[in-house]
Amino acid sequence: MTWSEMQPLLEQACTETLVMVGWSTLIAVVGGLPLGILLVLTDKGGLLQNTVVNKVIGQIVNIGRSLPFIILMVALMNFTRWVTGTTIGSEAAIVPLAIGGIPFFARLVETAVREVDHGLVEAVQAMGGNTWTIVRKVLVPEALPSLIASTTTTVIALIGYSAMAGTVGGGGLGDLAVRYGYQRFETGLMWITVAVLAVAISLIQFAGDFAARALHRRGARSGPGPRLRLLKSGEPATADVGKVA
């Protein structure tokens, strides 16, 4: 197979992979971020301590993470058909990718949020901050570098999942490698597909690491704690958490 024959196939496969990973990452972040924060808030000693809720959410997340992706795809076929009208193609693959990504990202978020200094939380509580204020002003901003790194890890994992989705007609680079590299013995095209995936993952990892380091350095330059503005009785009050703590 010549390069002129490979090029349109590679372009289509890259576009399908980009669509699958992009939408599934967005859904995973939107669904996994609040889920991970809720796991921290409802845990023992958390701001919304509730053992029953924490155990239920934790068990759901554990089940979602324990299933191999290929099995998850098969188990969700009826749901995927109900949502998209089909079980074949990149659009159908987004459903199991997103559902598999949510619990994966939620656990990473939980780990990142647990690393936030509890003294900052106590300082905001002392200033009258409610749970939403603490989440918005302390937990998410302080954990942002780790959250960026977690998102990078999730994107890379979803690229691997999308390649597996190609083995059952999900489209993308995985499907291209199977149909041409394996079934038609086009070894050259298969190795080009491998190289494209390797380069893409390396670039994503580099960009994620760069963003996480940049945020971490900016946070270090801003001092030991964020400046929080809390509204009490309609009057603005600015306090330096570092001084309060």
Side-chain angles (χ1 to χ4, degrees), residues 66 89 155 215:
S66 65
V155 171
L215 288 171

Side-chain angles (χ1 to χ4, degrees), residues 102-123:
I102 288 174
F104 182 86
F105 185 67
R107 281 301 184 192
L108 296 177
V109 170
E110 180 189 12
T111 301
V113 172
R114 287 190 188 279
E115 294 175 354
V116 176
D117 186 1
H118 193 66
L120 297 176
V121 176
E122 293 176 345

Side-chain angles (χ1 to χ4, degrees), residues 212-229:
R213 285 195 298 267
L215 288 171
H216 183 74
R217 287 196 298 267
R218 188 177 69 177
R221 287 196 300 267
S222 66
R227 297 186 65 84
L228 305 177
R229 182 177 296 275

Side-chain angles (χ1 to χ4, degrees), residues 70-158:
I70 193 71
I71 295 177
L72 182 65
M73 285 191 66
V74 175
L76 292 174
M77 276 189 174
N78 291 333
F79 179 72
T80 300
R81 184 180 291 109
W82 177 73
V83 173
T84 65
T86 182
T87 58
I88 299 174
S90 56
E91 291 184 1
I94 292 172
V95 176
L97 282 171
I99 293 177
I102 288 174
F104 182 86
F105 185 67
R107 281 301 184 192
L108 296 177
V109 170
E110 180 189 12
T111 301
V113 172
R114 287 190 188 279
E115 294 175 354
V116 176
D117 186 1
H118 193 66
L120 297 176
V121 176
E122 293 176 345
V124 177
Q125 285 180 306
M127 291 186 290
N130 56 25
T131 301
W132 170 243
T133 301
I134 292 171
V135 171
R136 187 167 56 93
K137 295 280 190 176
V138 178
L139 296 181
V140 172
E142 289 295 306
L144 194 56
S146 295
L147 292 177
I148 295 296
S150 299
T151 303
T152 303
T153 302
T154 302
V155 171
I156 292 173
L158 288 175

Side-chain angles (χ1 to χ4, degrees), residues 6 10 177 181 186-198:
M6 294 180 186
L10 286 168
E186 294 288 348
T187 307
L189 180 57
M190 183 182 67
W191 283 112
I192 291 175
T193 303
V194 172
V196 170
L197 287 170

